[in-house]
């Protein structure tokens, strides 16, 4: 007799991701040198995969599936739990979660305490501290991947939050199945609903901890989960979560294509870079190379010049992406650069009437000089 259907589902999801990890990080080290800061495998060591575990149903189910599947594929499996210090007794709870991971057979297992700041609000600050801790743990242990327990329900909530912000198609694309430097973060459960994952825990008698923050209406995501989504399902019928998750994937495909187009277009309209094929040394000091399709612009160029005529010929969605990339390259912080900023910059191209220069976050100034758009920090 096979495992419970829910257990089989979570194990299959993890198995597929682990196969991808093995393709990306074969056990035999490649003949060429690894990229700087990329996870390196030496001496034929089996790759290490970590699971980020809060002790909740999603991450405990993920940990159990990783513990079951990793040895069969010749992988090592470990775990990390992060103590945010936001609740009384959080240190003892983190130690308990770490012990549960060890009982599943995971090794190494680590509990990491973090200090949560206030920038961006409590949810964003906790998330930033958590990912910084996970990055550091992966580096310490030489892990090639960190598994995260986000489910299809989490994806639907993320899409709704992005829709409420009105921040464009990229925010509607939700969470990627693979993200982070060198594809560090993997999300095996994005196609599984939360109830399936919880049933897998019950079938395996796994103890889980329900974080009271998840039902606290003071947190935006909690209100979306317990108030907004139920109202939508009552009004529109079942299937809202699946539809929102499907929207995320479709939006991600579109956003990726537009970003790649914008990266190519940026290389064509930037006049401060050497011509294609010219030696890189001819570029101005401090400028980062651009033009790689889909690659994010490197900040700190200080000065970016764009051909206004070439920009005007681009479709609006592509042109505004180019403008955003250029502003970031000149030194504007990406997190402080909003749609309204880019719309104002766009008017210097599409509605030029001799306007005064614009000021963007990060002390970045944008001005039109004849047929050029000049973006500089300073």
């Amino acid at each position: 007799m096979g495992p419970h259907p829910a257990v089989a589902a979570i194990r299959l999801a993890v198995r597929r991701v682990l196969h991808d990890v093995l393709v990306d990080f074969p056990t035999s080290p490649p003949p060429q040198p690894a990229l700087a800061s990329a996870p390196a495998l030496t001496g034929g060591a089996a790759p290490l995969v970590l699971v980020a575990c809060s002790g909740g149903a999603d991450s405990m189910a993920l940990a159990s599936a990783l513990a079951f599947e990793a040895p069969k594929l010749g992988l090592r499996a470990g775990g990390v739990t992060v103590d945010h210090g936001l609740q009384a007794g959080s240190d003892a709870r983190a130690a308990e979660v770490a012990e549960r991971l060890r009982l599943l057979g995971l090794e190494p297992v680590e509990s990491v305490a973090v200090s949560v700041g206030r920038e961006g609000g409590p949810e964003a600050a906790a998330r930033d501290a958590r990912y910084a801790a996970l990055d550091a743990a992966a580096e310490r242990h030489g892990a090639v991947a960190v598994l995260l327990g986000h489910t299809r329900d989490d994806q639907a909530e993320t899409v709704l939050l992005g829709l409420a912000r009105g921040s464009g198609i990229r925010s509607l694309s939700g969470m990627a199945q693979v993200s982070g430097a060198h594809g560090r973060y993997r999300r095996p459960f994005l196609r599984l609903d939360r109830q399936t994952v919880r049933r897998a825990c019950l079938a395996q008698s796994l103890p889980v901890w329900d974080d009271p923050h998840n039902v606290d209406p003071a947190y935006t995501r909690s209100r979306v989960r317990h108030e907004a989504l139920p109202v939508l399902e009552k009004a529109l019928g079942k299937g809202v979560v699946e539809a929102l998750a499907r929207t995320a994937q479709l939006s991600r495909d579109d956003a990726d294509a537009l970003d790649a187009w914008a990266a190519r277009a940026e290389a064509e309209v930037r006049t401060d870079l050497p011509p294609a094929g010219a030696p890189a040394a001819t570029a101005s000091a401090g400028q980062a190379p651009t033009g790689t399709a889909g690659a994010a612009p490197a900040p700190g160029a200080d000065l970016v010049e764009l051909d206004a005529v070439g920009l005007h010929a681009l479709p609006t969605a592509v042109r505004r992406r180019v403008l955003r990339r250029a502003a970031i390259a000149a030194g504007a912080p990406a997190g402080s650069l909003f749609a309204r900023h880019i719309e104002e910059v766009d008017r210097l191209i599409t509605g030029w009437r001799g306007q005064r220069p614009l000021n963007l976050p990060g002390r970045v100034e944008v001005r039109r000089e004849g047929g050029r758009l000049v973006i500089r920090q300073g």
Side-chain angles (χ1 to χ4, degrees):
M1 182 177 178
H4 187 280
V7 176
I10 65 170
R11 289 176 177 175
L12 176 60
V14 168
R15 189 184 315 139
R16 286 171 172 166
V17 166
L18 295 183
H19 276 295
D20 292 341
V21 170
L22 282 173
V23 170
D24 295 340
F25 300 98
T27 54
S28 299
Q32 68 273 16
L35 292 173
S37 78
L41 303 176
T42 57
L48 171 65
V49 178
L50 296 175
V51 58
C53 186
S54 67
D58 301 346
S59 57
M60 282 301 297
L62 184 59
S64 72
L66 176 63
F68 182 84
E69 295 291 341
K72 298 196 297 183
L73 297 174
L75 292 164
R76 294 183 294 137
V80 180
T81 185
V82 178
D83 173 17
H84 298 85
L86 299 178
Q87 300 169 357
S90 62
D91 54 344
R93 189 173 300 110
E96 182 179 347
V97 171
E99 183 58 27
R100 290 175 184 173
L101 296 179
R102 292 188 185 96
L103 291 174
L104 287 173
L106 301 183
E107 186 62 40
V109 170
E110 185 177 5
S111 174
V112 182
V114 298
S115 177
V116 177
R118 297 183 178 181
E119 186 175 355
E123 291 168 287
R127 181 174 59 249
D128 291 345
R130 179 167 59 254
Y131 278 101
L134 293 175
D135 281 333
E139 294 290 341
R140 278 194 303 275
H141 296 290
V144 297
V146 178
L147 305 190
L148 305 175
H150 298 117
T151 65
R152 187 170 64 191
D153 297 74
D154 296 307
Q155 185 76 298
E157 294 159 10
T158 302
V159 173
L160 273 184
L161 289 168
L163 184 63
R165 287 193 299 269
S167 46
I169 194 171
R170 176 56 72 185
S171 68
L172 296 183
S173 63
M175 297 173 285
Q177 288 190 320
V178 179
S179 64
H182 308 289
R184 168 173 288 160
Y185 294 107
R186 313 282 174 129
R187 297 176 173 87
F189 289 171
L190 280 185
R191 297 188 178 182
L192 297 179
D193 63 88
R194 188 174 289 136
Q195 287 304 314
T196 295
V197 174
R198 186 169 286 274
R199 282 196 296 270
C201 289
L202 291 173
Q204 299 177 96
S205 300
L206 291 175
V208 299
W209 172 66
D210 291 317
D211 187 347
H213 283 174
N214 289 338
V215 294
D216 187 345
Y219 296 95
T220 306
R221 184 175 287 271
S222 175
R223 295 196 300 274
V224 169
R225 179 176 302 176
H226 298 288
E227 298 176 24
L229 272 174
V231 167
L232 285 175
E233 290 200 330
K234 183 177 180 180
L236 303 176
K238 296 293 183 182
V240 169
V241 168
E242 293 89 335
L244 288 171
R246 187 165 58 251
T247 296
Q249 185 56 58
L250 295 172
S251 298
R252 180 167 296 279
D253 292 342
D254 290 350
D256 287 346
L258 288 169
D259 286 347
W261 186 353
R264 295 191 298 269
E266 181 188 25
E268 296 171 359
V269 300
R270 277 189 68 165
T271 59
D272 59 306
L273 294 177
T282 61
S284 300
Q287 289 180 357
T290 62
T292 303
D302 296 331
L303 173 65
V304 176
E305 295 181 358
L306 304 169
D307 173 35
V309 174
L311 280 171
H312 196 280
L314 293 171
T316 301
V318 178
R319 182 176 61 250
R320 290 183 176 178
R321 278 171 164 77
V322 172
L323 294 175
R324 177 179 173 80
R325 291 171 61 91
I328 294 171
S336 301
L337 201 58
F338 301 125
R340 66 177 185 273
H341 296 129
I342 303 304
E343 289 169 3
E344 289 297 319
V345 175
D346 194 34
R347 289 192 184 97
L348 297 180
I349 302 298
T350 61
W352 174 240
R353 298 184 306 277
Q355 296 99 309
R356 298 176 61 181
L358 300 174
N359 293 315
L360 298 180
R363 298 184 299 108
V364 171
E365 180 189 77
V366 186
R367 66 170 61 238
R368 177 80 178 258
E369 295 182 358
R372 298 178 304 151
L373 190 71
V374 179
I375 308 175
R376 62 162 55 91
Q377 192 174 48

